[in-house]
Amino acid sequence: MTSRQPPSSPGDRKPFAVLDPATGEVCGEAPDQHPDALDATVDRAQEAWLSWRADPVARATALLAAADAVEAAAADMAPLLTREQGKPLAESYAEVARTAARLRYFAELDGPRPQPIPDGRPVRSEIRWRSLGPVAAIVPWNFPLQLASAKLAPALAAGNTVVLKPSPYTPLATLLLGSVISTALPADVLTIVTGNEPLGARLASHPGIRHVTFTGSVPTGRAVAESAAASLARVTLELGGNDAAILLEDVDVERIADRLFWAAFRNCGQVCMAVKRVYAPARLYSDVVEALAQRAKAVVVGSGLAPGTQLGPVNNAPQLARVERWTEEALADGARAVAGGHRLDRPGYFFAPTILADVPPGSPVVTEEQFGPVLPVLPYGSIDEAVAAANDTGFGLGGSVWGTDLDRAWAVAGRLECGTAWINHHAELSLAQPFAGIKESGVGVAGGPWGLHGNLRPFVVHRPDEGWQ
Ligand code: NAD
């Protein structure tokens, strides 16, 4: 079986260039698919669905084989991912491993069985669970492979076919992922389409698509929901976050500092569930700022392909400009850069790991999602004040509480208004748990059996009981 690239189409265009964020130079190119070609792609996905949906055992076998194939391709996929995304090579290998693990998890997850509906009447009713049809998956550039598998593994396991569009910043590793997975699948069960807008908008509004599952920013999520309204397809949105970490009075600063630092700076801060604001009790404020700043100054920043690199570049020029602008605004408003605070003077999109103290709470670096290597630390007086500040946001993805008394931390964590709250760590997720942001952070539930359910619909069969006349 071969890689499923859509055939040449009306108005086929020249491929577009993909840049290496560590150098700013071209590192590859990808097909710039004409949106009109989506009609043929979705038609083929519809045709492929008719047999793919019919045999759950064959699906599980194929997805397990796909997981093996992804693992076997790690030595090709991980460096390609680092080259276009920027993350350190070890993190790319870890991402490939998580991609395979997700395929395996959903291949082995039992789907919901038919359930009777007892309601006391002399009838027999049963709920059965059916797949939806072709699913459109649209993903961002921060974890291209992991987020692709988070979409396609539950959708395919449930019996749907998938048309997946990666970000134009990171199409290369996803194209390879698509061709590797497709060696284990029937034709047209999975298609990767690459190109610039309006490709995503046209995919989200395509009448043949029955579920649009999107991960990305809040404004694009809104646009996707509007596009999907055209066909009234189901919509799942996993959007941005502005997660707060609250440190309690009894926190052991030195003990948690490494973990807290990396919860904010992993993948250069480009994680939806990164710690994006730290609230420290006034008494410990300078200790916390200092502990984080020490770590920021010691981090090895460089190309993700260079041995020893701990932090790569920001992925792209617009994102770097946004991080720089909000840092400058915070500094102009009176914040202090205790570490970093500026771009690095070298080719590529590097920004010095930055710890900001004395930031006005209304500064965009606090109220918006900075999505980069910049962390504001804010002091608080009472715990009520800290919880109110943590919840005072339109986002609602995650949050964390850090302290020694776990019962106390547990009680505070329960007051956070978000989808997932952690104690003494942040953004550690299990494949088996539901993943759902609230407020502007998302619509629908991914992860675990809930992720499978999000790709199924109930179908009820109802008949009179025996003795009917
Ligand atoms: P983005 O919203 O700019 O783009 C996401 C995807 O949407 C890309 O593939 C892009 O090409 C496509 N797109 C752009 N315009 C579109 C349109 N009008 N219609 C359809 N598709 C369109 O996001 P980004 O900058 O690539 O990624 C960063 C964002 O993703 C951050 O906000 C981050 O928090 C969020 N994110 C959320 C999660 C989560 O699970 N909640 C995970 C990772 C990233």
Side-chain angles (χ1 to χ4, degrees), residues 148-232:
S149 71
K151 307 263 176 237
L152 62 89
L156 294 178
N160 306 287
T161 50
V162 173
V163 180
L164 184 139
K165 192 199 82 65
S167 165
Y169 291 113
T170 52
L172 303 177
T174 310
L175 285 168
L176 178 57
L177 178 76
S179 61
V180 167
I181 290 180
S182 290
T183 59
L185 305 181
D188 303 320
V189 165
L190 170 64
T191 309
I192 311 292
V193 294
T194 58
N196 290 297
E197 281 313 301
L199 188 64
R202 286 280 292 277
L203 180 59
S205 63
H206 198 284
I209 293 293
R210 297 319 313 145
H211 178 199
V212 182
T213 173
F214 169 84
T215 297
S217 62
V218 173
T220 313
R222 276 207 183 87
V224 164
E226 280 173 25
S227 297
S231 62
L232 293 174

Side-chain angles (χ1 to χ4, degrees), residues 231-292:
S231 62
L232 293 174
R234 181 180 298 181
V235 175
T236 302
L237 303 174
E238 296 171 50
L239 307 179
N242 191 9
D243 292 11
I246 299 177
L247 276 51
L248 300 180
E249 281 283 350
D250 67 352
V251 74
D252 180 340
V253 176
E254 269 311 306
R255 186 161 173 218
I256 59 112
D258 277 336
R259 201 183 290 182
L260 178 62
F261 178 81
W262 284 110
F265 285 86
R266 185 167 78 93
N267 203 28
C268 207
Q270 302 164 129
V271 181
C272 56
M273 293 192 139
V275 168
K276 299 200 173 104
R277 307 171 277 156
V278 171
Y279 291 92
R283 186 178 65 80
L284 297 175
Y285 185 68
S286 54
D287 293 352
V288 172
V289 168
E290 192 45 40
L292 292 170

Side-chain angles (χ1 to χ4, degrees), residues 301-465:
V301 180
S303 160
L305 293 172
T309 291
Q310 293 176 291
L311 205 76
V314 172
N315 173 258
N316 57 73
Q319 184 57 29
L320 177 66
R322 181 164 76 156
V323 167
E324 184 176 44
R325 187 172 71 247
W326 286 348
T327 303
E328 283 172 356
E329 279 184 35
L331 295 174
D333 287 346
R336 278 184 302 130
V338 189
H342 50 83
R343 275 181 197 228
L344 292 179
D345 185 17
R346 62 168 88 162
Y349 310 135
F350 289 97
F351 200 84
T354 297
I355 302 295
L356 295 176
D358 304 337
V359 192
S363 187
V365 81
V366 178
T367 58
E368 304 290 338
E369 182 188 34
Q370 66 272 40
F371 217 61
V374 177
L375 183 63
V377 186
L378 297 107
Y380 71 83
S382 71
I383 191 64
D384 287 348
E385 202 182 302
V387 169
N391 290 337
D392 184 19
T393 167
F395 295 100
L397 203 53
S400 56
V401 180
W402 305 67
T404 302
D405 179 344
L406 295 182
D407 290 336
R408 168 97 175 114
W410 180 262
V412 176
R415 297 172 62 189
L416 293 179
E417 290 165 7
C418 55
T420 315
W422 296 269
I423 292 162
N424 291 341
H425 59 97
H426 198 106
E428 287 185 20
L429 295 170
S430 139
L431 289 175
Q433 78 177 70
F435 180 79
I438 62 166
K439 300 195 270 186
E440 291 184 353
S441 288
V443 172
V445 186
W450 300 270
L452 198 68
H453 257 272
N455 285 285
L456 291 165
R457 67 176 175 88
F459 170 62
V460 177
V461 189
H462 180 102
R463 71 166 212 198
D465 224 345

